[in-house]
Protein backbone atom coordinates (compact mmCIF):
# COMPACT_ATOMS: atom_id res chain seq x y z
CA UNK A 1 0.00 0.00 0.00
CA UNK A 2 2.81 2.35 0.92
CA UNK A 3 4.54 1.51 -2.35
CA UNK A 4 1.38 2.38 -4.33
CA UNK A 5 1.07 5.72 -2.48
CA UNK A 6 4.69 6.54 -3.21
CA UNK A 7 4.21 5.70 -6.89
CA UNK A 8 1.11 7.89 -7.10
CA UNK A 9 3.02 10.73 -5.42
CA UNK A 10 5.88 10.44 -7.91
CA UNK A 11 3.49 10.39 -10.89
CA UNK A 12 1.60 13.38 -9.50
CA UNK A 13 4.83 15.29 -8.97
CA UNK A 14 5.94 14.57 -12.52
CA UNK A 15 2.56 15.66 -13.83
CA UNK A 16 2.67 18.94 -11.86
CA UNK A 17 6.26 19.59 -12.99
CA UNK A 18 5.28 18.86 -16.60
CA UNK A 19 2.29 21.19 -16.43
CA UNK A 20 4.39 23.87 -14.79
CA UNK A 21 7.04 23.53 -17.47
CA UNK A 22 4.46 23.71 -20.26
CA UNK A 23 2.94 26.78 -18.62
CA UNK A 24 6.39 28.43 -18.43
CA UNK A 25 7.03 27.63 -22.10
CA UNK A 26 3.64 29.00 -23.09
CA UNK A 27 4.22 32.17 -21.06
CA UNK A 28 7.69 32.55 -22.61
CA UNK A 29 6.25 32.10 -26.11
CA UNK A 30 3.52 34.65 -25.41
CA UNK A 31 6.04 37.12 -24.04
CA UNK A 32 8.28 36.63 -27.11
CA UNK A 33 5.33 37.11 -29.45
CA UNK A 34 4.33 40.26 -27.58
CA UNK A 35 7.94 41.54 -27.77
CA UNK A 36 8.13 40.83 -31.51
CA UNK A 37 4.84 42.66 -31.97
CA UNK A 38 6.15 45.66 -30.00
CA UNK A 39 9.39 45.66 -31.97
CA UNK A 40 7.53 45.62 -35.26
CA UNK A 41 5.23 48.43 -34.15
CA UNK A 42 8.23 50.52 -33.08
CA UNK A 43 9.98 49.85 -36.39
CA UNK A 44 6.87 50.93 -38.33
CA UNK A 45 6.67 54.10 -36.21
CA UNK A 46 10.26 54.87 -37.13
CA UNK A 47 9.62 54.25 -40.84
CA UNK A 48 6.55 56.49 -40.84
CA UNK A 49 8.47 59.24 -39.05
CA UNK A 50 11.30 58.95 -41.59
CA UNK A 51 8.85 59.17 -44.49
CA UNK A 52 7.31 62.23 -42.82
CA UNK A 53 10.68 63.96 -42.52
CA UNK A 54 11.04 63.71 -38.74
CA UNK A 55 14.46 62.05 -38.89
CA UNK A 56 15.45 62.51 -35.26
CA UNK A 57 12.27 60.82 -33.99
CA UNK A 58 12.75 58.11 -36.63
CA UNK A 59 16.34 57.47 -35.51
CA UNK A 60 15.14 57.33 -31.88
CA UNK A 61 12.56 54.65 -32.76
CA UNK A 62 15.07 52.60 -34.74
CA UNK A 63 17.44 52.72 -31.79
CA UNK A 64 14.65 51.50 -29.50
CA UNK A 65 14.20 48.46 -31.73
CA UNK A 66 17.87 47.56 -31.34
CA UNK A 67 17.67 47.88 -27.55
CA UNK A 68 14.33 46.05 -27.15
CA UNK A 69 15.21 42.93 -29.12
CA UNK A 70 18.84 42.87 -30.35
CA UNK A 71 18.50 39.23 -31.52
CA UNK A 72 15.57 39.99 -33.84
CA UNK A 73 15.83 40.36 -37.62
CA UNK A 74 14.68 43.96 -37.17
CA UNK A 75 17.72 45.00 -35.13
CA UNK A 76 20.32 45.18 -37.94
CA UNK A 77 17.74 46.66 -40.29
CA UNK A 78 16.93 49.33 -37.70
CA UNK A 79 20.64 50.04 -37.32
CA UNK A 80 20.91 50.79 -41.04
CA UNK A 81 17.67 52.76 -41.08
CA UNK A 82 18.92 54.95 -38.22
CA UNK A 83 22.13 55.59 -40.16
CA UNK A 84 20.17 56.53 -43.28
CA UNK A 85 17.83 58.77 -41.25
CA UNK A 86 20.80 60.75 -39.94
CA UNK A 87 22.46 60.85 -43.37
CA UNK A 88 19.30 62.14 -45.08
CA UNK A 89 19.50 65.35 -43.03
CA UNK A 90 23.30 65.71 -43.17
CA UNK A 91 23.96 64.44 -39.64
CA UNK A 92 27.05 62.74 -41.00
CA UNK A 93 28.80 62.10 -37.67
CA UNK A 94 25.73 60.33 -36.22
CA UNK A 95 25.27 58.36 -39.45
CA UNK A 96 28.87 57.11 -39.50
CA UNK A 97 28.69 56.13 -35.81
CA UNK A 98 25.58 54.00 -36.53
CA UNK A 99 27.34 52.40 -39.49
CA UNK A 100 30.43 51.59 -37.41
CA UNK A 101 28.19 49.81 -34.90
CA UNK A 102 26.50 47.88 -37.70
CA UNK A 103 29.77 46.76 -39.28
CA UNK A 104 31.14 45.66 -35.91
CA UNK A 105 28.01 43.74 -34.84
CA UNK A 106 26.93 42.31 -38.21
CA UNK A 107 30.06 41.88 -40.37
CA UNK A 108 28.45 39.08 -42.41
CA UNK A 109 25.02 40.63 -42.86
CA UNK A 110 23.55 40.60 -46.37
CA UNK A 111 23.46 44.43 -46.43
CA UNK A 112 27.08 44.97 -45.38
CA UNK A 113 27.88 46.22 -48.92
CA UNK A 114 25.32 49.00 -48.49
CA UNK A 115 26.79 49.89 -45.08
CA UNK A 116 30.27 50.43 -46.54
CA UNK A 117 28.83 52.35 -49.48
CA UNK A 118 26.76 54.66 -47.23
CA UNK A 119 29.83 55.19 -45.03
CA UNK A 120 31.81 56.26 -48.11
CA UNK A 121 29.03 58.59 -49.23
CA UNK A 122 28.84 60.24 -45.79
CA UNK A 123 32.52 61.15 -46.02
CA UNK A 124 32.31 61.97 -49.74
CA UNK A 125 29.63 64.60 -49.19
CA UNK A 126 31.80 66.35 -46.59
CA UNK A 127 34.61 67.00 -49.08
CA UNK A 128 35.29 70.72 -49.52
CA UNK A 129 38.52 71.20 -51.52
CA UNK A 130 42.13 70.11 -51.61
CA UNK A 131 43.29 72.94 -49.33
CA UNK A 132 41.06 71.81 -46.43
CA UNK A 133 41.37 68.86 -44.06
CA UNK A 134 41.86 65.65 -46.03
CA UNK A 135 40.25 63.32 -43.50
CA UNK A 136 36.93 63.13 -45.38
CA UNK A 137 38.72 62.56 -48.68
CA UNK A 138 40.86 59.73 -47.32
CA UNK A 139 37.97 58.06 -45.46
CA UNK A 140 35.74 58.15 -48.53
CA UNK A 141 38.58 56.68 -50.62
CA UNK A 142 39.10 53.88 -48.09
CA UNK A 143 35.43 52.87 -48.04
CA UNK A 144 34.88 53.20 -51.80
CA UNK A 145 37.86 50.88 -52.34
CA UNK A 146 36.36 48.33 -49.90
CA UNK A 147 33.09 48.36 -51.86
CA UNK A 148 34.93 47.94 -55.19
CA UNK A 149 37.23 45.16 -53.90
CA UNK A 150 34.75 43.14 -51.81
CA UNK A 151 31.53 43.67 -53.78
CA UNK A 152 32.64 44.18 -57.41
CA UNK A 153 29.42 42.98 -59.04
CA UNK A 154 27.07 45.38 -57.24
CA UNK A 155 25.60 48.71 -58.34
CA UNK A 156 27.35 50.21 -55.32
CA UNK A 157 30.71 49.20 -56.82
CA UNK A 158 29.91 50.86 -60.15
CA UNK A 159 29.00 54.15 -58.51
CA UNK A 160 31.99 53.87 -56.16
CA UNK A 161 34.35 53.66 -59.16
CA UNK A 162 32.85 56.82 -60.61
CA UNK A 163 33.12 58.77 -57.35
CA UNK A 164 36.58 57.40 -56.59
CA UNK A 165 37.89 59.09 -59.76
CA UNK A 166 36.83 62.45 -58.33
CA UNK A 167 38.39 61.60 -54.96
CA UNK A 168 41.69 60.68 -56.64
CA UNK A 169 41.65 63.97 -58.57
CA UNK A 170 41.28 65.85 -55.28
CA UNK A 171 44.20 63.98 -53.70
CA UNK A 172 46.32 64.60 -56.80
CA UNK A 173 45.38 68.29 -56.78
CA UNK A 174 46.62 68.50 -53.19
CA UNK A 175 50.00 67.09 -54.25
CA UNK A 176 50.10 69.45 -57.23
CA UNK A 177 49.25 72.45 -55.05
CA UNK A 178 52.10 71.62 -52.67
CA UNK A 179 54.48 70.82 -55.52
CA UNK A 180 53.88 74.20 -57.16
CA UNK A 181 54.38 75.91 -53.78
CA UNK A 182 57.74 74.18 -53.22
CA UNK A 183 58.77 74.95 -56.81
CA UNK A 184 58.01 78.64 -56.28
CA UNK A 185 60.03 78.60 -53.05
CA UNK A 186 62.89 76.79 -54.86
CA UNK A 187 62.64 73.79 -52.56
CA UNK A 188 63.59 71.45 -55.37
CA UNK A 189 63.63 68.06 -53.61
CA UNK A 190 60.28 68.64 -51.91
CA UNK A 191 58.77 69.71 -55.22
CA UNK A 192 60.16 66.66 -57.06
CA UNK A 193 58.77 64.31 -54.40
CA UNK A 194 55.27 65.80 -54.74
CA UNK A 195 55.26 65.56 -58.54
CA UNK A 196 56.60 61.99 -58.39
CA UNK A 197 53.81 61.04 -56.00
CA UNK A 198 51.30 62.05 -58.67
CA UNK A 199 53.08 59.81 -61.20
CA UNK A 200 53.20 56.84 -58.85
CA UNK A 201 49.81 57.05 -57.10
CA UNK A 202 47.54 59.21 -59.26
CA UNK A 203 48.58 58.38 -62.81
CA UNK A 204 44.97 58.21 -64.05
CA UNK A 205 44.08 61.73 -62.89
CA UNK A 206 43.91 64.98 -64.86
CA UNK A 207 47.17 66.15 -63.23
CA UNK A 208 49.49 63.57 -64.76
CA UNK A 209 50.51 65.75 -67.73
CA UNK A 210 51.33 68.77 -65.60
CA UNK A 211 53.25 66.58 -63.14
CA UNK A 212 55.48 65.31 -65.96
CA UNK A 213 56.05 68.85 -67.22
CA UNK A 214 56.90 70.10 -63.73
CA UNK A 215 59.45 67.30 -63.30
CA UNK A 216 61.06 68.38 -66.57
CA UNK A 217 61.02 71.99 -65.38
CA UNK A 218 62.56 71.31 -61.95
CA UNK A 219 65.32 69.08 -63.28
CA UNK A 220 66.10 71.58 -66.05
CA UNK A 221 66.34 74.43 -63.55
CA UNK A 222 68.78 72.56 -61.29
CA UNK A 223 70.93 71.53 -64.25
CA UNK A 224 69.95 67.85 -64.53
CA UNK A 225 69.14 68.09 -68.23
CA UNK A 226 69.37 64.37 -68.99
CA UNK A 227 66.85 63.63 -66.24
CA UNK A 228 64.67 66.44 -67.61
CA UNK A 229 64.84 64.89 -71.09
CA UNK A 230 63.76 61.53 -69.68
CA UNK A 231 60.52 62.97 -68.30
CA UNK A 232 60.05 65.07 -71.45
CA UNK A 233 60.20 61.94 -73.62
CA UNK A 234 57.55 60.23 -71.46
CA UNK A 235 55.33 63.30 -71.76
CA UNK A 236 55.89 63.50 -75.52
CA UNK A 237 55.20 59.79 -76.05
CA UNK A 238 51.91 59.83 -74.15
CA UNK A 239 50.63 63.41 -74.50
CA UNK A 240 52.31 64.89 -77.59
CA UNK A 241 49.30 67.05 -78.52
CA UNK A 242 48.84 68.60 -75.06
CA UNK A 243 49.63 72.15 -74.02
CA UNK A 244 51.96 70.80 -71.32
CA UNK A 245 54.10 69.12 -73.97
CA UNK A 246 54.39 72.43 -75.84
CA UNK A 247 55.46 74.12 -72.60
CA UNK A 248 58.04 71.37 -72.06
CA UNK A 249 59.36 71.66 -75.61
CA UNK A 250 59.80 75.42 -75.10
CA UNK A 251 62.21 74.74 -72.23
CA UNK A 252 64.65 73.00 -74.58
CA UNK A 253 64.05 75.10 -77.70
CA UNK A 254 64.38 78.82 -77.05
CA UNK A 255 63.86 79.53 -80.76
CA UNK A 256 60.54 77.67 -80.58
CA UNK A 257 59.50 79.82 -77.62
CA UNK A 258 60.41 83.06 -79.45
CA UNK A 259 58.50 81.93 -82.55
CA UNK A 260 55.46 81.04 -80.42
CA UNK A 261 55.41 84.51 -78.86
CA UNK A 262 55.83 86.11 -82.29
CA UNK A 263 52.99 84.01 -83.69
CA UNK A 264 50.68 84.93 -80.81
CA UNK A 265 51.53 88.63 -81.21
CA UNK A 266 50.85 88.58 -84.98
CA UNK A 267 47.68 86.60 -84.45
CA UNK A 268 46.49 89.19 -81.94
CA UNK A 269 47.16 92.01 -84.47
CA UNK A 270 45.24 90.13 -87.18
CA UNK A 271 42.37 89.63 -84.77
CA UNK A 272 42.18 93.37 -84.04
CA UNK A 273 42.40 94.21 -87.78
CA UNK A 274 39.60 91.74 -88.59
CA UNK A 275 37.34 93.15 -85.87
CA UNK A 276 37.87 96.68 -87.27
CA UNK A 277 36.90 95.55 -90.78
CA UNK A 278 33.76 93.87 -89.40
CA UNK A 279 32.76 97.03 -87.54
CA UNK A 280 33.20 99.13 -90.73
CA UNK A 281 31.09 96.71 -92.71
CA UNK A 282 28.33 96.97 -90.11
CA UNK A 283 28.39 100.78 -90.43
CA UNK A 284 28.08 100.56 -94.22
CA UNK A 285 24.96 98.47 -93.82
Amino acid sequence: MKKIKCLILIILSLFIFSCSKKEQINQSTIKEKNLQSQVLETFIEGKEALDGGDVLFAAKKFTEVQVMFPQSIWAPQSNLMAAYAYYSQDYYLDATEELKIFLKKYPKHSNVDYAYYLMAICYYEQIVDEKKDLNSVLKSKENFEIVIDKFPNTDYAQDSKFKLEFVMDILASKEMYLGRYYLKKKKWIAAINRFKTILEEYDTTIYIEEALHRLVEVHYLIGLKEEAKKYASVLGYNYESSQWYENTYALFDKKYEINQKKFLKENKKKSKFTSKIKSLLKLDE
Side-chain angles (χ1 to χ4, degrees), residues 34-128:
N34 287 338
L35 184 57
Q36 287 179 347
S37 178
Q38 287 175 1
V39 166
L40 184 56
E41 284 175 15
T42 306
F43 182 86
I44 292 169
E45 279 185 70
K47 181 68 169 60
E48 288 173 352
L50 180 60
D51 293 339
D54 191 351
V55 297
L56 294 179
F57 183 75
K60 178 176 175 289
K61 286 296 173 182
F62 291 133
T63 303
E64 283 179 19
V65 171
Q66 298 171 58
V67 174
M68 287 166 64
F69 200 171
Q71 295 82 20
S72 72
I73 59 170
W74 302 104
Q77 191 66 21
S78 294
N79 204 162
L80 283 180
M81 292 296 282
Y84 177 78
Y86 286 127
Y87 159 75
S88 68
Q89 291 297 314
D90 301 342
Y91 294 107
Y92 298 119
L93 180 61
D94 297 288
T96 53
E97 286 304 311
E98 286 287 341
L99 291 167
K100 286 174 185 176
I101 292 169
F102 178 88
L103 291 169
K104 186 176 180 180
K105 290 174 71 175
Y106 315 107
K108 295 185 179 179
H109 193 272
S110 58
N111 290 326
V112 72
D113 53 348
Y114 173 74
Y116 279 115
Y117 174 74
L118 186 57
M119 180 86 80
I121 292 295
C122 284
Y123 288 116
Y124 179 81
E125 294 191 2
Q126 294 179 76
I127 295 172
V128 182

Side-chain angles (χ1 to χ4, degrees), residues 182-193 195-196 213-229 231 251-252:
Y182 290 133
L183 180 60
K184 186 178 178 182
K185 295 292 182 181
K186 298 182 180 180
K187 295 183 177 181
W188 312 120
I189 301 301
I192 287 170
N193 288 337
F195 299 136
K196 277 187 174 181
H213 167 73
R214 297 296 180 188
L215 283 166
V216 174
E217 186 179 12
V218 177
H219 286 97
Y220 187 86
L221 287 170
I222 61 178
L224 298 174
K225 293 188 179 180
E226 288 304 313
E227 195 71 12
K229 285 179 182 178
Y231 287 110
L251 286 170
F252 296 99

Side-chain angles (χ1 to χ4, degrees), residues 89-274:
Q89 291 297 314
D90 301 342
Y91 294 107
Y92 298 119
L93 180 61
D94 297 288
T96 53
E97 286 304 311
E98 286 287 341
L99 291 167
K100 286 174 185 176
I101 292 169
F102 178 88
L103 291 169
K104 186 176 180 180
K105 290 174 71 175
Y106 315 107
K108 295 185 179 179
H109 193 272
S110 58
N111 290 326
V112 72
D113 53 348
Y114 173 74
Y116 279 115
Y117 174 74
L118 186 57
M119 180 86 80
I121 292 295
C122 284
Y123 288 116
Y124 179 81
E125 294 191 2
Q126 294 179 76
I127 295 172
V128 182
D129 64 50
E130 74 277 10
K131 298 180 188 69
K132 303 293 182 181
D133 179 31
L134 283 179
N135 181 62
S136 295
V137 185
L138 295 171
K139 288 289 185 182
S140 65
K141 176 179 178 288
E142 177 188 339
N143 285 282
F144 280 136
E145 286 176 340
I146 290 172
V147 175
I148 294 166
D149 292 341
K150 291 189 174 182
F151 316 102
N153 300 319
T154 63
D155 290 338
Y156 303 130
Q158 294 304 313
D159 191 56
S160 293
K161 286 177 185 177
F162 175 75
K163 288 182 169 62
L164 187 59
E165 288 180 11
F166 174 70
V167 171
M168 297 299 274
D169 277 343
I170 290 176
L171 290 169
S173 72
K174 178 73 173 180
E175 296 296 327
M176 182 57 69
Y177 172 79
L178 292 170
R180 291 189 199 122
Y181 172 79
Y182 290 133
L183 180 60
K184 186 178 178 182
K185 295 292 182 181
K186 298 182 180 180
K187 295 183 177 181
W188 312 120
I189 301 301
I192 287 170
N193 288 337
R194 293 294 177 174
F195 299 136
K196 277 187 174 181
T197 297
I198 295 173
L199 261 61
E200 293 164 3
E201 298 182 22
Y202 309 109
D203 60 339
T204 60
T205 68
I206 58 175
Y207 293 95
I208 187 68
E209 295 170 41
E210 184 181 353
L212 284 165
H213 167 73
R214 297 296 180 188
L215 283 166
V216 174
E217 186 179 12
V218 177
H219 286 97
Y220 187 86
L221 287 170
I222 61 178
L224 298 174
K225 293 188 179 180
E226 288 304 313
E227 195 71 12
K229 285 179 182 178
K230 183 185 79 173
Y231 287 110
S233 64
V234 173
L235 180 59
Y237 182 80
N238 292 284
Y239 310 101
E240 189 175 358
S241 60
S242 75
Q243 180 62 46
W244 290 112
Y245 179 67
E246 290 187 23
N247 294 347
T248 297
Y249 191 82
L251 286 170
F252 296 99
D253 190 344
K254 295 302 177 184
K255 187 178 178 182
Y256 170 84
E257 188 176 7
I258 292 165
N259 289 339
Q260 277 290 94
K261 287 179 180 177
K262 187 179 177 183
F263 170 77
L264 290 170
K265 193 174 181 181
E266 288 175 357
N267 195 49
K268 193 174 181 182
K269 284 180 181 178
K270 285 180 184 178
S271 174
K272 285 181 180 178
F273 177 74
T274 305

